[in-house]
């Protein structure tokens, strides 16, 4: 029987399901409820007491930062752990979240181990006591509970003075590398960095629409697995960067040879934020125009 309650907030149902599945498998004493945006989360939090909030930043109607700021003004949620899970890992956003009272900050895409460690860190003794009372243990194979047992013997630590350091569990956005030599191309090229939980893929956008993007990358890089989480960073012009959440839908050799130099990766988008879809729509239009 669940003894603790967590609220998972993200506009992408795919991401909510990933978070809930990780919590269910690793922490059977935590019951999860989900909300598609901050406004819905606020409504649920006003009616039910939650022990942990796992929340995205960019969402329609009410952002994760706005929810955090509201939450810290409520006496019952003044000290409840809040983990911000977001594709925005730049220093300014991290500092803004710290000022708002965030407990921990986890970059997308995240691994189950990375998320579990953050939950263990912020829940501390409360989680350990609940697990002990239930007689249940953590799920293998990662055995994150043992790996982070030292975190359970002390109170949750505040964020470090240099908050950017706390985001090291996920790779930070990096500037795209130079276009791969002899990479297949057509028309005006757009560079993209595709971030995964353990690596970043430098690539060229081959095709894109409102539901997916196909990129070409050199084979000598670290490639993900099918259905792995991904964040696609695309230069949209005028110094702007689009960060689109998705998952790996397809991996395919560009040439019909085993020694092909390039691999095609298709990422299906999962964002449901109208603002992100509007930005994506403008980029797709410019991309199509450049191909003519």
């Amino acid at each position: 029987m669940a003894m603790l309650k967590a609220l998972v907030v993200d506009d992408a149902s795919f991401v909510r399901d990933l978070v809930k599945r990780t919590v269910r498998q690793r922490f059977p004493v935590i019951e999860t409820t989900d909300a598609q945006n901050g406004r819905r989360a606020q409504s649920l939090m006003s009616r039910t007491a939650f022990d942990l909030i796992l929340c995205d930043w960019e969402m329609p109607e009410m952002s994760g930062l706005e929810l955090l700021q509201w939450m810290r003004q409520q006496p019952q949620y003044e000290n409840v752990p809040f983990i911000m899970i977001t594709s925005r890992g730049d220093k300014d956003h991290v500092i803004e979240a710290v000022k708002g009272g965030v407990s921990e900050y986890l970059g997308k895409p995240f691994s189950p181990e990375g998320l579990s460690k953050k939950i263990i860190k912020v829940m501390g003794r409360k989680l350990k006591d609940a697990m002990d009372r239930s007689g249940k243990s953590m799920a293998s194979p990662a055995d994150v509970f043992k790996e982070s047992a030292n975190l359970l013997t002390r109170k949750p630590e505040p964020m470090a003075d240099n908050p950017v350091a706390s985001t090291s569990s996920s790779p930070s956005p990096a500037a795209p590398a130079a276009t791969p030599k002899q990479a297949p191309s057509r028309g005006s090229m757009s560079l993209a960095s595709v971030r995964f939980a353990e690596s970043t893929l430098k690539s060229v956008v081959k095709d894109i629409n409102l539901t997916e993007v196909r990129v070409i990358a050199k084979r000598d890089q670290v490639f993900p697995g099918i259905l792995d989480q991904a964040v696609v960073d695309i230069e949209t012009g005028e110094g702007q960067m689009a960060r689109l959440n998705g998952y790996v839908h397809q991996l395919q050799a560009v040439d019909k040879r085993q020694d092909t130099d390039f691999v095609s990766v298709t990422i299906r988008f999962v964002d449901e934020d109208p603002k992100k879809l509007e930005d994506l729509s403008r980029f797709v239009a410019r991309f199509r125009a450049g191909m003519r």
Side-chain angles (χ1 to χ4, degrees):
M1 181 178 177
M3 302 176 185
L4 303 171
K5 292 185 177 183
L7 180 60
V8 180
V9 192
D10 199 296
D11 62 297
S13 58
F14 176 81
V15 178
R16 294 199 304 271
D17 290 343
L18 282 174
V19 174
K20 288 191 296 181
R21 183 162 62 246
T22 298
V23 173
R24 185 168 59 247
Q25 292 174 346
R26 306 295 177 94
F27 309 100
V29 296
I30 300 179
E31 175 187 301
T32 59
T33 303
D34 64 301
Q36 67 271 33
N37 57 53
R39 187 70 65 198
R40 174 61 179 160
Q42 188 181 51
S43 174
L44 290 170
M45 291 168 69
S46 298
R47 301 197 304 266
T48 304
F50 291 98
D51 303 287
L52 172 66
I53 310 298
L54 302 155
C55 186
D56 184 25
W57 184 306
E58 297 175 295
M59 298 178 292
E61 296 193 41
M62 177 185 276
S63 71
L65 182 62
E66 291 171 326
L67 179 66
L68 173 61
Q69 292 168 338
W70 168 82
M71 170 179 161
R72 291 306 183 214
Q73 295 174 0
Q74 312 307 309
Q76 70 271 33
Y77 286 113
E78 209 171 5
N79 299 308
V80 169
F82 186 109
I83 300 177
M84 189 78 82
I85 306 174
T86 175
S87 56
R88 288 191 168 274
D90 50 284
K91 184 176 179 179
D92 290 344
H93 280 83
V94 177
I95 291 174
E96 198 172 357
V98 171
K99 288 179 178 177
V102 77
S103 307
E104 269 295 335
Y105 198 100
L106 180 63
K108 291 180 183 176
F110 56 87
S111 65
E113 289 78 14
L115 176 59
S116 298
K117 286 178 183 178
K118 295 291 185 182
I119 292 174
I120 289 171
K121 185 174 181 179
V122 302
M123 295 295 285
R125 178 63 61 179
K126 190 172 186 178
L127 176 59
K128 183 181 185 302
D129 289 345
M131 295 292 285
D132 289 345
R133 288 197 304 273
S134 71
K136 295 181 179 180
S137 60
M138 303 301 278
S140 283
D143 203 6
V144 181
F145 198 69
K146 280 184 182 178
E147 198 175 294
S148 305
N150 61 313
L151 295 173
L152 294 172
T153 61
R154 62 179 184 269
K155 294 180 180 179
E157 299 173 0
M159 295 284 283
D161 291 337
N162 179 8
V164 177
S166 68
T167 66
S168 59
S169 57
S170 283
S172 299
T179 303
K181 203 171 183 181
Q182 298 178 351
S185 62
R186 180 176 61 177
S188 178
M189 284 188 177
S190 293
L191 303 180
S193 288
V194 187
R195 287 183 278 140
F196 306 100
E198 305 296 338
S199 63
T200 299
L201 197 65
K202 306 302 181 184
S203 60
V204 173
V205 177
K206 185 65 174 175
D207 196 13
I208 188 168
N209 56 43
L210 293 178
T211 60
E212 64 184 27
V213 61
R214 183 162 67 93
V215 301
I216 305 295
K218 267 201 120 175
R219 183 185 176 184
D220 60 2
Q221 302 182 72
V222 177
F223 281 83
I226 298 297
L227 299 181
D228 279 3
Q229 292 178 77
V231 173
V232 184
D233 296 326
I234 300 177
E235 294 179 353
T236 58
E238 300 177 356
Q240 298 297 310
M241 180 75 75
R243 296 179 175 87
L244 302 159
N245 297 288
Y247 65 91
V248 180
H249 177 69
Q250 185 180 58
L251 291 170
Q252 185 176 6
V254 171
D255 302 315
K256 295 180 180 180
R257 309 188 326 266
Q258 188 177 7
D259 62 346
T260 180
D261 290 328
F262 298 98
V263 176
S264 169
V265 184
T266 301
I267 307 294
R268 281 275 172 90
F269 299 132
V270 299
D271 286 307
E272 298 170 23
D273 185 341
K275 176 65 169 63
K276 281 195 174 185
L277 293 177
E278 183 181 333
D279 292 341
L280 176 59
S281 180
R282 284 198 294 267
F283 176 78
V284 170
R286 285 197 297 272
F287 181 83
R288 298 285 182 196
M291 293 175 66
R292 295 194 187 106

